[in-house]
Amino acid sequence: MKLFHLSDLHIGLKLYNRDLAEDQNFIFCQICELVQQEQPDVLIISGDVYDKAVPSAEAIEMFDQFVESLVQAAPELEIMVISGNHDSAPRINMFRNILQRQKIHMIGLPPQQPEDHIEQITLVDEYGPIHFYLLPFVKPSMVKAVVGTDEHGNHLSYDESVRRLIQRENIDESDRNVLVSHQFYLPVGTDADCVERMDSEIRTVGNIDEVHADVLSCFDYAALGHIHKPMKVGNEFYRYCGTPLACSISEAGQQKGVVQIQLGQKGSVKTEVLPLTPLRQVRIMEGTLEEILMQGCDDYVSVVLTDKIDLDVIDMQDRLRFAFPHLLEIRRSMLRQADYTMRDFQEEEWDPLRLCCAFLKDLDEDTQEILRDVINTVGEVRK
């Protein structure tokens, strides 16, 4: 059986207040072309369909058109979608039973009552059944009626909550099993602070949302969402596919793609990343103003100016925006750094001008003259 693994679409996202609708539609068209070309049996979206819990009408329409195009590209395709931490779980869960008849499984809510279980979809190929467990984003407070609390009546940790949810399922490890989940999984013994996170991700204080990845051991493949950079979780077959489109400047230069999985007989899993090419790259360009102006392009660009002198150019922003129509920001590298090596001088022995010049460093004569005039004026006012 052939699977496509996607996650973190973040439809409706704005990058530095720039609407990415055109860029997202461009990527979705590429994905549909890959679906038509490869004809997967299952397409998985592991959470964060939308960027906001209350998406705009335009965002909802875009997702609707995307799903419609997927079905047209592969009429027999099973589409499996779970909610992420950015989504409204009840909204994703709407029309769940009706959509399942159309081979579209939209699962927004995790088990919430003791009699509830993780949504399980079973498909069959020439090697037998494959069980898909669809587990939306979980907070301990959401599932306390199912997994219980600690001895003091407090919510369990994220790790223990997810662990108990999975352990209460009757998973037959002699069959092939796939988990679809949107959480922060870490290999046992890994420090969460060592995992590179993107600026576009929501992070918890103290990484309290981490879940140890050993809980995935009963699955043949784990289609994970939440981390925006493509990443494996201690195993080739437990992986985050990342976002299909850069959602922040910190993702500049990343190769995005769709993970294709081939599930053969039990124990046979092959993965391949099918690359996606964005309409516009996200780039960081560093150099002097004149160097950067010579590299004008249509990409999303963060400009870092390294000029060693102050730029007194009235139309600098206009020139940069003309060279880069999709300019995101302009930053300056540090022109001067305070010199803290001279710690043993007695301040009363230094006049104000000398102190200022020592702190600012490398002032030309004209600037020193202006500074002297300001200091003298302040002195006169104080008298």
Side-chain angles (χ1 to χ4, degrees):
M1 187 172 291
K2 184 185 292 186
L3 320 178
F4 268 22
H5 174 198
L6 290 167
S7 75
D8 296 271
L9 306 184
H10 287 279
I11 300 174
L13 173 76
K14 293 185 184 296
L15 183 60
Y16 280 73
N17 289 321
R18 287 194 173 273
D19 191 344
L20 296 181
E22 184 183 13
D23 303 83
Q24 291 181 322
N25 271 320
F26 185 84
I27 283 293
F28 292 161
C29 287
Q30 276 191 54
I31 294 170
C32 291
E33 289 172 2
L34 288 172
V35 168
Q36 186 169 32
Q37 175 184 325
E38 298 293 335
Q39 290 296 303
D41 301 288
V42 179
L43 183 138
I44 295 167
I45 301 176
S46 303
D48 281 354
V49 175
Y50 300 109
D51 191 56
K52 298 183 182 301
V54 183
S56 65
E58 292 78 11
I60 295 172
E61 183 180 0
M62 184 183 297
F63 184 59
D64 178 67
Q65 291 175 348
F66 179 42
V67 173
E68 182 180 356
S69 298
L70 289 171
V71 173
Q72 290 175 351
E76 299 302 314
L77 182 67
E78 298 270 355
I79 300 175
M80 302 182 184
V81 183
I82 63 170
S83 64
N85 57 302
H86 278 255
D87 296 313
S88 164
R91 281 184 169 83
I92 297 295
N93 214 60
M94 286 183 65
F95 310 118
R96 170 172 169 172
N97 295 328
I98 296 173
L99 290 172
Q100 283 189 342
R101 301 172 197 166
Q102 310 301 320
K103 299 184 178 181
I104 300 173
H105 312 277
M106 299 274 291
I107 311 302
L109 295 169
Q112 298 195 299
Q113 299 301 325
E115 64 272 15
D116 295 341
H117 286 270
I118 298 173
E119 183 73 16
Q120 179 183 334
I121 309 296
T122 299
L123 303 178
V124 179
D125 65 5
E126 64 267 33
Y127 300 110
I130 302 177
H131 308 294
F132 294 84
Y133 292 86
L134 277 56
L135 180 60
F137 176 67
V138 171
K139 287 184 178 179
S141 60
M142 298 165 63
V143 296
K144 68 176 182 179
V146 180
V147 301
T149 57
D150 65 15
E151 62 273 17
H152 303 294
N154 300 318
H155 296 321
L156 299 175
S157 66
Y158 278 79
D159 178 79
E160 187 62 24
S161 296
V162 172
R163 192 173 299 276
R164 291 192 184 187
L165 282 175
I166 292 175
Q167 288 175 347
R168 67 196 293 270
E169 300 299 322
N170 185 23
I171 299 176
D172 185 351
E173 295 190 40
S174 65
D175 286 339
R176 293 166 296 168
N177 301 287
V178 175
L179 176 68
V180 181
S181 179
H182 191 96
Q183 302 287 157
F184 180 29
Y185 290 95
L186 274 178
V188 177
T190 301
D191 185 347
D193 291 331
C194 295
V195 177
E196 185 181 9
R197 305 292 296 274
M198 301 297 101
D199 294 342
S200 51
E201 298 174 25
I202 292 178
R203 283 170 268 188
T204 59
V205 176
N207 295 305
I208 62 171
D209 59 339
E210 66 181 66
V211 180
H212 296 152
D214 63 323
V215 74
L216 305 174
S217 61
C218 56
F219 298 100
D220 296 84
Y221 184 82
L224 307 178
H226 190 46
I227 303 299
H228 289 184
K229 180 180 179 179
M231 186 178 86
K232 300 171 186 175
V233 188
N235 188 308
E236 178 72 23
F237 310 124
Y238 307 150
R239 62 197 298 167
Y240 292 97
C241 61
T243 56
L245 185 73
C247 295
S248 63
I249 290 176
S250 61
E251 296 167 64
Q254 287 182 14
Q255 176 61 66
K256 303 294 187 177
V258 179
V259 179
Q260 179 177 261
I261 306 101
Q262 291 276 4
L263 284 177
Q265 59 187 354
K266 179 69 177 181
S268 175
V269 184
K270 298 179 180 178
T271 61
E272 177 186 3
V273 178
L274 307 178
L276 295 170
T277 303
L279 179 63
R280 304 176 184 91
Q281 297 282 354
V282 174
R283 302 173 60 189
I284 300 174
M285 303 187 69
E286 188 169 349
T288 66
L289 176 61
E290 294 306 321
E291 289 171 346
I292 287 178
L293 288 172
M294 294 172 62
Q295 304 175 58
C297 65
D298 196 45
D299 291 332
Y300 292 113
V301 174
S302 169
V303 167
V304 181
L305 296 174
T306 61
D307 297 81
K308 298 301 182 183
I309 60 173
D310 288 327
L311 292 174
D312 186 18
V313 182
I314 297 176
D315 61 344
M316 178 182 69
Q317 289 195 23
D318 291 337
R319 292 171 66 188
L320 285 169
R321 294 186 187 283
F322 181 79
F324 305 100
H326 294 93
L327 180 69
L328 298 177
E329 64 171 355
I330 304 170
R331 292 185 287 133
R332 298 293 303 275
S333 62
M334 185 63 68
L335 292 180
R336 306 184 183 95
Q337 294 184 344
D339 184 358
Y340 297 105
T341 60
M342 301 175 64
R343 298 179 180 273
D344 56 349
F345 67 86
Q346 298 295 318
E347 291 189 14
E348 61 271 18
E349 298 177 2
W350 290 55
D351 64 73
L353 177 62
R354 190 178 177 192
L355 280 170
C356 290
C357 291
F359 181 79
L360 296 175
K361 308 289 287 184
D362 303 326
L363 298 182
D364 58 33
E365 291 185 4
D366 291 340
T367 304
Q368 289 187 39
E369 187 60 37
I370 294 173
L371 187 58
R372 181 180 290 106
D373 183 58
V374 170
I375 291 172
N376 291 337
T377 301
V378 172
E380 291 296 327
V381 170
R382 292 180 65 184
K383 292 177 182 179

